[in-house]
Amino acid sequence: MTRATDLADLTEMAGIDPFDVLDTEAARVDAFYRGLSDAAWSTPTRCAGWDRRALLAHLITTEDYTHAGLDGRVEDFEDDVGGVDLAERNARGIARRAGLAAQTVLAQWRAASADNRRRLRERGERGTLQTAAGDYPVGRQVFYLASELATHADDAGVPQSPTEQEERLRWRVRFARLAVAEAGQGVVVTPDGGVEVIRLGGQQARLTERDFVEAVADRLGIDALPDDIHEALVVLA
């Protein structure tokens, strides 16, 4: 993802601890996968061509990327994974773990996630780590990581109580606004009593908070928005 040179105003996330959010999302995924039957690992997800096992293997690749960023060797990671585009890199990351038992995949993800989260928290919100877009604030990157984990939890069908739904939506919609602003695509998003008003040039759309979060993650149907707005909103896919 390309981010705007001038970082969007992080006051949007005031009062929300990014490390706590990431810990919560990781715990939800861990508990869900620990409880899966053998057959349930092969259940399809919202990610085309990925079952639950493949999706978790993809999440290990994300942890590998974060680990490389903390070590300052993102270029080595990209050279190692290879591939000409994101889809191919994702496919290669999943293929690397195709021969592993499901519980081994879970153990690898759990260990990598715990280690990265510990190191990120130790570095602190104001620290930096290396990303494909250059050195980047840790606190802000943690929100990106939490957002990806939350989206993929939904993709896998991780259940959530009404309380969890409310708490997760509270931070996800705020971060989605920040991510859209940071992407610098000219989109202006204004909250309006539970509805997100989206403007791009002379076009305008209105989405519920939940649909806005889905749209930014490219999980809302392409026919739900004008093409230009849909394309400009997809910044967390």
Side-chain angles (χ1 to χ4, degrees):
M1 182 186 65
T2 301
R3 295 166 179 161
T5 301
D6 295 326
L7 297 179
D9 188 356
L10 198 58
T11 57
E12 182 75 66
M13 307 307 296
I16 303 177
D17 186 308
F19 306 108
D20 289 348
V21 166
L22 183 58
D23 285 348
T24 297
E25 291 299 324
R28 294 181 66 249
V29 170
D30 193 356
F32 175 73
Y33 272 92
R34 277 191 287 109
L36 289 181
S37 66
D38 291 344
W41 280 82
S42 60
T43 300
T45 71
R46 293 193 302 180
C47 301
W50 292 2
D51 61 12
R52 285 169 171 164
R53 186 190 179 289
L55 190 150
L56 191 63
H58 164 69
L59 290 179
I60 301 176
T61 303
T62 300
E63 297 297 341
D64 290 343
Y65 171 77
T66 300
H67 183 86
L70 286 163
D71 287 350
R73 53 175 186 84
V74 166
E75 289 186 2
D76 292 341
F77 168 83
E78 292 179 334
D79 290 342
D80 182 47
V81 174
V84 296
D85 58 27
L86 182 59
E88 185 175 347
R89 289 180 179 181
N90 286 340
R92 290 187 180 188
I94 291 171
R96 284 185 171 187
R97 296 174 172 89
L100 298 179
Q103 291 303 319
T104 301
V105 175
L106 177 56
Q108 287 188 359
W109 171 78
R110 180 187 294 127
S113 172
D115 185 58
N116 283 337
R117 286 183 286 112
R118 175 187 59 79
R119 292 181 66 189
L120 288 164
R121 190 180 283 272
E122 287 176 352
R123 192 159 299 190
E125 289 188 56
R126 297 186 179 182
T128 62
L129 79 165
Q130 191 181 73
T131 73
D135 288 346
Y136 198 73
V138 167
R140 194 179 297 252
Q141 182 69 3
V142 169
F143 277 121
Y144 276 101
L145 295 172
S147 180
E148 179 177 15
L149 198 54
T151 296
H152 283 319
D154 293 346
D155 292 337
V158 177
Q160 51 187 326
S161 68
T163 299
E164 284 179 315
Q165 289 180 354
E166 181 179 348
E167 291 175 349
R168 294 173 80 231
L169 184 61
R170 187 179 302 122
W171 73 263
R172 292 182 75 187
V173 70
R174 291 164 68 178
F175 181 68
R177 290 187 208 118
L178 183 148
V180 169
E182 188 172 86
Q185 300 296 314
V187 181
V188 177
V189 182
T190 307
D192 182 19
V195 173
E196 303 298 303
V197 182
I198 304 152
R199 298 180 177 87
L200 177 64
Q203 296 181 312
Q204 178 174 310
R206 296 173 66 88
L207 292 174
T208 65
E209 291 181 340
R210 191 172 306 280
D211 282 350
F212 174 62
V213 169
E214 292 282 276
V216 171
D218 201 16
R219 299 305 195 271
L220 194 65
I222 60 174
D223 295 331
L225 292 166
D227 289 346
D228 290 348
I229 291 181
H230 173 266
E231 183 177 351
L233 277 183
V234 177
V235 297
L236 292 176

